[in-house]
Amino acid sequence: RRSFIAGKHTRLLTGRKEFNSRKGGVTTLMQKLASRGMMTYMVGKWHAGYASWMSTPVGRGVHRFFGHHENTAGYSSPCAADDKGGGFDYHYVEATPFESEFASFDAPHYRAGHEVIGRYIHDVYDEKVAQFMSDHSRLHRAKGMFLYLASNAYRGAAEGPVVPHP
């Protein structure tokens, strides 16, 4: 994920997962696309830091983000286990007006992603992708669009919904 976003093996080069904006850092794919007039969106797992605002998706060039910052939540629980720090880690942030007419990169609109409560996360991600694409078509049709979906990897049968095999 970070290698794709940064265009290089940043974890191997820096030994850290944060995108460091203080030491020149790295320019992300989303920042490059946004600088060329494209609208950039992300749904899913960020897992590339949140120690400062500039380490988050919007701080790294994403116009609109829905997902979680860390690898702590489950497929059907929005909260991390106590041994992983606990807490709610789903976020909606926009730096271009969609939900808030005043959103900007200087003053992003933020709200907790409560729509995941009681839902299977991949169903919510599918809905957000469809919503982001529809909103882009309606509000920014003349601009190019880049949407990055970073879903959680399936790690075990106990986490996903039970689907009978045909």
Side-chain angles (χ1 to χ4, degrees):
R1 205 173 344 274
R2 284 180 36 84
S3 293
F4 174 75
I5 292 169
K8 59 183 170 182
H9 295 284
T10 55
R11 186 178 286 239
L12 297 175
L13 295 174
T14 66
R16 301 172 63 198
K17 68 176 181 172
E18 296 281 337
F19 280 126
N20 189 340
S21 60
R22 297 173 209 238
K23 298 179 182 173
V26 81
T27 302
T28 66
L29 172 62
M30 288 76 122
Q31 287 171 308
K32 290 176 184 177
L33 294 172
S35 74
R36 288 166 176 76
M38 288 186 74
M39 297 294 294
T40 58
Y41 306 91
M42 182 176 171
V43 174
K45 178 180 168 182
W46 174 245
H47 205 218
Y50 61 95
S52 73
W53 187 249
M54 290 305 296
S55 295
T56 66
V58 168
R60 303 310 283 171
V62 176
H63 289 93
R64 196 175 188 193
F65 169 76
F66 180 87
H68 57 104
H69 290 152
E70 279 297 316
N71 188 24
T72 56
Y75 302 108
S76 53
S77 171
C79 296
D82 288 338
D83 65 336
K84 294 183 179 181
F88 189 84
D89 186 27
Y90 281 92
H91 313 273
Y92 173 82
V93 189
E94 65 184 33
T96 299
F98 288 96
E99 288 187 4
S100 169
E101 64 181 294
F102 304 108
S104 69
F105 277 106
D106 291 329
H109 168 67
Y110 171 87
R111 68 171 175 76
H114 288 119
E115 52 265 64
V116 300
I117 295 173
R119 310 259 325 272
Y120 183 59
I121 191 57
H122 288 132
D123 290 342
V124 178
Y125 286 171
D126 288 348
E127 290 170 9
K128 289 298 175 186
V129 165
Q131 178 189 359
F132 284 14
M133 290 171 43
S134 174
D135 289 349
H136 176 85
S137 180
R138 185 172 46 85
L139 299 170
H140 301 286
R141 181 178 295 270
K143 293 185 175 188
M145 173 185 170
F146 174 80
L147 191 147
Y148 177 48
L149 171 62
S151 61
N152 297 5
Y154 290 98
R155 292 197 168 94
E159 287 277 356
V162 177
V163 179
H165 192 280

